[in-house]
Amino acid sequence: MILKKFISITLLIIMAVLAIAGCTNEPSNTPNSSEKEESSDKPGNVNKDPGEEPGNVNEESAETNDNELFIYTGDQLFNKRYVDEDDFEMLIGQFIKKKFPNIVVKHVQWDDGNRYEDLVAKQTFPDIILEDVRRNTHRYVKRYNLQYDMSELIKKYNFDTSKLDPAFLQMSKNASDGELYSLPFEGSEYLLYYNKDIFDKFGVDYPKPGMTYDEIYELAKKLTRQEGDITYKGYQQHPEYYMMLNQLSEPALDPIEDKASLLSDNWSKIVNNLRRFYDIPGNQFTTVKDFPKGQIAMAVDVEQGIVDYATNYKDLNFDIAPVPLFQEASNSKYQPYSYGAFITNQSKKKDLAFEVLAYLLSEEIQIERSKLGISSPLNSDAVRAAYLQSVPEMKGKQLQSIFALDSAMPAPRKPGLTFIDPKVRNVFNPLIFEESKDSQTALRVANEEMNKAIDETRAVQKEGGVSPHL
């Protein structure tokens, strides 16, 4: 894994420091004293039978797995960082061992033979699941009746949800039927990558924080060039995520009714705003993943590319800036692509699981994870300042660009409405890119397709079946 390869030396140093701090079996001091008070969970206070208390597990209970905590990392689109067991240990396991030295962590990653249906068939239920919130709460967690409302545990342990980014928390609430099935755990932020050599070649100033789409559009026109056999594209942005997580907080599913919601003026604005970039001759959409090939001037993509590009493409002279802005939302980046931490309904160690999650979400641990490049759901300047400090290849990059804007707030949705995965990508591909439909027609057709999918899902679920539209 890239992450393991390029920060292993730094990690040895971090783990040595943690080992020294772990000798006291208490969290180390953090810059925020009130955060320490919140995260200094007392394992001995869990209401369990003698011998089951975390941090006080005897040898007999170890033999019966009373001290085992089962963590399942699910089917995550961008976040493949836990596929390698060493990476899981580096990013999660070592911190649990520091605070809870007598806990045995069992980790299983979603893959063939270890999918949700396999776990359910074997009746081996995780205590904690890390999973994509927006879609997979419905697609997997609820489908297999794994959901559990953590509201009472939050009250019991005085967990302060106000320290979380409100947009991340709203994403969890929207997927939880009026309850709270997940706590925000980490995310995948979007940012603007730009190739400095292309800007220098054509004498164009680099993008700056606070630039609008109109300003970036003018740059894209200047930088889309044909030089001999080389075509330089000025700008690439994936339509699906641009729309799904749009900065205007426009919902694809109606907030109060079981229907699609793609026919608003804002949706027309969102589509036409991006469409004009691909109407620039020579700048037709291909893929943002071509950016490291060196012929794309600007591309909006997830943050995971920073380390990848810096370590695997040594000749790529790039930097990053915040995503472009709509004038109507002058301080908003994308809505969060959020990975949540779920405690399962079947877990018999819900208190322990929650204590572990609360500790992992403490500022102390989030700072350490941030140093390794994990974006945090905490509203903490200290956590943000630590971002990628442990990766030397990041020196000189404008890393704080990731945090220059606020997350756009997901529109709240009434509990009990039907969920489908909105196929907003169909607006651009195939309806615009392949069929050359005008924007209004493309939105209308996609809206009709989504309404049909909602009706089919309601009918299937009424009969106890599983919808193909999740």
Side-chain angles (χ1 to χ4, degrees):
M1 299 293 289
I2 293 171
L3 185 59
K4 178 178 63 178
K5 178 179 179 182
F6 293 99
I7 61 181
S8 57
I9 295 176
T10 306
L11 178 62
L12 290 175
I13 299 172
I14 293 172
M15 292 183 71
V17 173
L18 290 173
I20 294 171
C23 292
T24 65
N25 197 26
E26 288 292 333
S28 60
N29 291 331
T30 67
N32 186 336
S33 60
S34 63
E35 180 63 36
K36 179 182 177 182
E37 182 177 348
E38 290 174 5
S39 64
S40 60
D41 311 300
K42 302 294 190 296
N45 290 339
V46 182
N47 295 325
K48 286 181 174 289
D49 294 334
E52 287 189 333
E53 295 178 0
N56 187 34
V57 182
N58 58 35
E59 293 182 2
E60 181 179 355
S61 66
E63 294 176 357
T64 59
N65 291 328
D66 285 346
N67 66 333
E68 181 181 272
L69 192 70
F70 181 5
I71 300 178
Y72 183 67
T73 47
D75 178 21
Q76 302 163 358
L77 179 60
F78 298 121
N79 183 358
K80 305 298 184 184
R81 55 175 64 110
Y82 301 121
V83 173
D84 188 290
E85 191 62 30
D86 288 345
D87 287 341
F88 175 85
E89 177 65 22
M90 174 172 55
L91 297 171
I92 293 179
Q94 63 156 325
F95 302 119
I96 298 176
K97 290 176 182 178
K98 173 196 171 186
K99 174 71 174 179
F100 307 95
N102 294 316
I103 296 300
V104 175
V105 177
K106 173 185 177 182
H107 168 237
V108 173
Q109 165 67 33
W110 183 95
D111 61 17
D112 290 339
N114 284 313
R115 298 173 185 260
Y116 284 88
E117 56 267 35
D118 300 315
L119 300 183
V120 172
K122 292 182 288 189
Q123 295 290 288
T124 54
F125 295 105
D127 298 296
I128 294 171
I129 294 172
L130 302 182
E131 186 59 275
D132 163 52
V133 170
R134 183 196 63 83
R135 183 180 185 187
N136 289 347
T137 300
H138 307 272
R139 190 183 184 195
Y140 295 127
V141 177
K142 290 178 61 179
R143 173 181 175 181
Y144 293 105
N145 194 33
L146 300 168
Q147 72 273 17
Y148 174 75
D149 181 13
M150 287 192 274
S151 300
E152 289 303 315
L153 289 173
I154 289 170
K155 292 178 183 177
K156 179 176 180 178
Y157 292 100
N158 296 315
F159 182 83
D160 183 10
T161 57
S162 68
K163 68 183 182 181
L164 299 170
D165 185 315
F168 277 77
L169 190 59
Q170 186 62 51
M171 188 70 74
S172 285
K173 290 179 178 178
N174 281 359
S176 297
D177 298 321
E179 299 182 328
L180 191 61
Y181 299 150
S182 66
L183 283 175
F185 189 72
E186 58 192 49
S188 290
E189 297 281 3
Y190 283 79
L191 47 91
L192 179 70
Y193 294 83
Y194 60 94
N195 187 316
K196 297 170 74 172
D197 287 343
I198 296 177
F199 276 81
D200 293 342
K201 179 180 179 66
F202 297 119
V204 178
D205 291 337
Y206 301 149
K208 298 180 179 63
M211 295 188 78
T212 65
Y213 278 100
D214 290 344
E215 293 170 312
I216 295 296
Y217 174 68
E218 294 302 319
L219 295 183
K221 288 194 296 184
K222 294 178 182 178
L223 294 165
T224 302
R225 304 280 192 97
Q226 181 76 34
E227 293 282 318
D229 294 334
I230 300 176
T231 299
Y232 293 98
K233 292 181 181 293
Y235 186 85
Q236 296 283 286
Q237 185 170 16
H238 199 300
E240 178 176 4
Y241 306 110
Y242 160 81
M243 295 178 69
M244 182 68 68
L245 306 173
N246 70 82
Q247 295 154 267
L248 298 183
S249 299
E250 195 68 11
L253 298 176
D254 192 275
I256 58 175
E257 296 184 54
D258 257 340
K259 64 180 184 180
S261 184
L262 293 181
L263 303 183
S264 69
D265 290 342
N266 268 350
W267 273 117
S268 295
K269 183 178 298 182
I270 289 166
V271 170
N272 287 328
N273 176 62
L274 184 59
R275 182 172 190 160
R276 59 178 168 164
F277 285 88
Y278 299 128
D279 287 338
I280 298 172
N283 193 57
Q284 65 271 23
F285 178 71
T286 51
T287 172
V288 296
K289 300 305 179 187
D290 281 345
F291 177 78
K293 295 180 180 179
Q295 296 175 18
I296 296 176
M298 298 176 285
V300 173
D301 201 2
V302 289
E303 66 184 89
Q304 280 84 342
I306 305 175
V307 175
D308 180 22
Y309 298 161
T311 54
N312 291 331
Y313 299 89
K314 298 294 187 181
D315 295 331
L316 182 64
N317 184 17
F318 79 97
D319 211 332
I320 57 176
V323 294
L325 298 168
F326 284 90
Q327 290 183 349
E328 302 90 331
S330 59
N331 199 46
S332 292
K333 56 186 175 183
Y334 278 30
Q335 297 170 57
Y337 199 105
S338 174
Y339 302 100
F342 300 76
I343 294 175
T344 66
N345 180 50
Q346 292 82 1
S347 173
K348 300 186 184 303
K349 302 166 188 172
K350 293 182 177 66
D351 284 88
L352 172 58
F354 189 83
E355 286 193 286
V356 168
L357 291 181
Y359 181 60
L360 292 174
L361 285 170
S362 69
E363 186 175 65
E364 173 196 2
I365 301 307
Q366 290 294 302
I367 286 173
E368 296 306 319
R369 283 167 52 83
S370 182
K371 289 177 182 177
L372 299 171
I374 311 301
S375 60
S376 171
L378 292 192
N379 278 324
S380 165
D381 290 339
V383 172
R384 292 165 181 158
Y387 187 71
L388 280 172
Q389 284 184 356
S390 293
V391 184
E393 288 82 2
M394 296 299 99
K395 186 177 181 180
K397 296 286 188 275
Q398 304 299 313
L399 298 177
Q400 293 306 302
S401 294
I402 297 176
F403 312 112
L405 304 171
D406 295 330
S407 299
M409 182 68 72
R413 194 161 190 248
K414 189 174 79 172
L417 295 178
T418 305
F419 175 84
I420 62 166
D421 186 35
K423 295 298 188 287
V424 292
R425 63 175 174 268
N426 292 355
V427 173
F428 275 90
N429 190 20
L431 297 172
I432 290 176
F433 289 154
E434 295 181 12
E435 300 177 19
S436 300
K437 286 184 167 53
D438 64 82
S439 299
Q440 290 292 89
T441 300
L443 283 165
R444 178 180 56 77
V445 171
N447 199 74
E448 291 171 355
E449 292 173 348
M450 285 169 52
N451 279 332
K452 182 180 178 182
I454 290 171
D455 291 342
E456 291 176 357
T457 297
R458 293 176 66 183
V460 168
Q461 292 178 343
K462 185 177 180 180
E463 298 297 323
V466 178
S467 169
H469 302 296
L470 297 181

